[in-house]
Amino acid sequence: MDIKLAQCFIAVDDHDKALPFYRDVLGLEVRNDVAFEGMRWVTVGSPAQPDVEIVLEPPLADPNASPADKEAMAELLAKGMLRGVIFSTDDCDATFERIRAAGGDVLQEPIDQPYGVRDCAFRDPAGNMLRFSQPRKR
């Protein structure tokens, strides 16, 4: 039995700010842009991984969620407390320079980690942490 990742989700509070970052800065392709019941989902993915999609969705995209729960999620997102994703790259330093030059919000410059990768980190426009990881050369 094969099990593979198909989709992961990142909460965003403004698709019109998130889309240029994920599309133009990171170079992901837009695969879908759907509105439904007052919400919007945008699906992006790497051209190198046609089977994997990232869904940019509103915080707590559940029509049955209470207003208090939606507000709590929006507050966590604003604080940068929701998890983002880790991207792999074959050149962490070049990826860092490209994203920084495009105005990316730097959290961590490239460093060699004790667990065997060189990585860097940015915040997306919604405050999510995104890491870019390259296996260290031996």
Side-chain angles (χ1 to χ4, degrees):
M1 172 173 64
D2 287 338
I3 297 176
K4 300 187 291 184
L5 178 66
Q7 295 178 323
C8 62
F9 297 82
I10 296 177
V12 299
D13 56 353
D14 186 335
H15 286 89
D16 292 329
K17 288 182 183 174
L19 189 55
F21 176 80
Y22 284 92
R23 180 192 59 218
D24 304 334
V25 175
L26 298 188
L28 302 180
E29 60 189 13
V30 177
R31 298 193 180 151
N32 216 345
D33 192 338
V34 177
F36 180 71
E37 293 188 8
M39 291 185 276
R40 180 179 178 194
W41 293 265
V42 176
T43 305
V44 297
S46 169
Q49 289 182 297
D51 296 356
V52 179
E53 298 178 327
I54 299 170
V55 181
L56 305 176
E57 66 173 358
L60 197 59
D62 180 344
N64 299 316
S66 72
D69 287 344
K70 288 181 182 182
E71 179 62 27
M73 287 297 289
E75 288 175 9
L76 290 171
L77 178 62
K79 292 177 184 178
M81 301 297 293
L82 302 181
R83 299 299 299 173
V85 297
I86 299 174
F87 291 94
S88 65
T89 178
D90 59 357
D91 189 336
C92 180
D93 294 273
T95 299
F96 174 81
E97 290 302 330
R98 183 172 51 90
I99 297 170
R100 180 172 67 174
D105 181 7
V106 177
L107 287 177
Q108 175 201 299
E109 294 191 7
I111 62 171
D112 291 330
Q113 299 287 3
Y115 42 88
V117 300
R118 182 167 181 78
D119 71 357
C120 61
F122 291 87
R123 286 214 188 278
D124 75 359
N128 296 298
M129 181 178 62
L130 307 177
R131 299 190 77 78
F132 298 85
S133 175
Q134 170 191 352
R136 251 196 332 243
K137 297 174 182 146
R138 303 197 185 257

